[in-house]
Amino acid sequence: QQISRLENLSKLQQRFVSDVSHELRTPLTTIRMASQVIFAARENFEPTVARSAELLISQIERFESLLTDLLEVSRFDAQAAILEIEAIDIVALIKETIDYVHPSQDRIIHLNAPNSPVIVDVDPRRIQRIIRNLISNAIDHREGKDVDVRISETENEVSIGVRDYGHGFNYSDKKLLFERFWRADSSRARTTGGTGLGLSIVKHVVKNHGGEVKVWSAPGVGSTFAIRLPVTKEKSI
């Protein structure tokens, strides 16, 4: 009876997250439109009001990111995350992602990849998203050091590794890394304050592609996240 009760509570929780996430999209869209109008006219405001407009737009973007993550998680819970498989060059996709995450000419991200295209059957939107999550995490935790991104391939699969040289984490934390809303500690979340769902989404997306994600880390030497994806994937859930 207790197991049945907990299963029902879990289903209610998933339904609640899904319903709330969908209901929030409409008012958030309206708020974003209004904030963009205010943000565009900020040069005509007093400095304190102009700064408030900048803070408003940045926090709305953060809210949208959280909402998008919640919607994605609810799709995985409902087993409704349908992959839109395309044959794409994973090298070009990751180069584009790096430019998006860190557009500065002061390059701190070093890409080691084959010179020729690496064609893989994936959902490009979702794969780009999880690579963006991993690279953003590495930048947040790099402690002033560079970040390495490596792409390698075999006949049947492609591997993507993202490594930082920051504090790393304890082995006891490894099993919790992919749990929703879990953070290593308050100091590691101090700068960006992400949603806490990024690594959970990485795990779901890679699994749905028939792949695997692994992590290596130790205090003081940084962390490495590596995902392996099959080169070909049938168009299914």
Side-chain angles (χ1 to χ4, degrees), residues 6 55 89 154 172 220 228:
L6 292 174
L55 292 173
D89 176 11
T154 65
S172 59
R228 294 191 298 108

Side-chain angles (χ1 to χ4, degrees), residues 57 64 77 118 153 164 176 205 236:
I57 200 76
E64 284 184 325
D77 286 341
V118 178
E153 62 174 329
D164 69 75
L176 300 173
V205 169
S236 60

Side-chain angles (χ1 to χ4, degrees), residues 6-191:
L6 292 174
E7 286 178 346
N8 289 333
L9 285 174
S10 178
K11 291 178 181 178
L12 286 173
Q13 181 188 42
Q14 293 172 10
R15 177 75 178 272
F16 174 78
V17 171
S18 178
D19 290 349
V20 169
S21 299
H22 281 89
E23 290 299 325
L24 285 174
R25 295 191 74 173
T26 300
L28 182 58
T29 300
T30 304
I31 293 171
R32 167 169 270 285
M33 292 174 62
S35 66
Q36 287 175 333
V37 172
I38 297 172
F39 182 77
R42 67 189 183 283
E43 293 182 356
N44 300 322
F45 300 152
E46 295 180 359
T48 55
V49 179
R51 178 56 180 161
S52 296
E54 294 173 354
L55 292 173
L56 175 64
I57 200 76
S58 66
Q59 291 305 305
I60 289 176
E61 289 175 354
R62 183 177 176 184
F63 189 8
E64 284 184 325
S65 177
L66 173 58
L67 186 57
T68 301
D69 285 350
L70 286 172
L71 284 169
E72 188 77 334
V73 167
S74 69
R75 293 189 189 101
F76 288 123
D77 286 341
Q79 297 184 347
I82 301 175
L83 301 181
E84 299 178 1
I85 301 297
E86 299 179 24
I88 59 104
D89 176 11
I90 198 73
V91 175
L93 184 74
I94 292 179
K95 287 180 178 179
E96 179 183 331
T97 305
I98 291 174
D99 288 338
Y100 175 86
V101 174
H102 187 69
S104 172
Q105 294 300 315
D106 181 18
R107 184 63 70 189
I108 64 172
I109 304 173
H110 303 288
L111 176 63
N112 187 329
N115 294 324
S116 58
V118 178
I119 306 301
V120 187
D121 290 346
V122 295
D123 182 331
R125 179 180 65 84
R126 285 190 165 96
I127 292 299
Q128 186 173 47
R129 179 179 187 142
I130 65 173
I131 297 301
R132 187 166 67 237
N133 285 344
L134 292 177
I135 294 176
S136 296
N137 282 345
I139 291 175
D140 290 344
H141 302 152
R142 68 189 182 92
E143 299 298 327
K145 301 175 183 177
D146 291 349
V147 172
D148 290 335
V149 179
R150 178 183 294 271
I151 305 171
S152 58
E153 62 174 329
T154 65
E155 182 179 352
N156 298 317
E157 66 182 25
V158 61
S159 298
I160 305 162
V162 179
R163 180 177 182 181
D164 69 75
Y165 297 87
H167 286 310
F169 55 85
N170 295 318
Y171 181 80
S172 59
D173 293 336
K174 183 177 179 180
K175 62 182 179 180
L176 300 173
L177 281 176
F178 298 97
E179 295 294 325
R180 298 173 188 178
F181 301 110
W182 185 83
R183 299 179 191 280
D185 55 51
S186 58
S187 64
R188 289 192 67 169
R190 66 189 181 275
T191 56

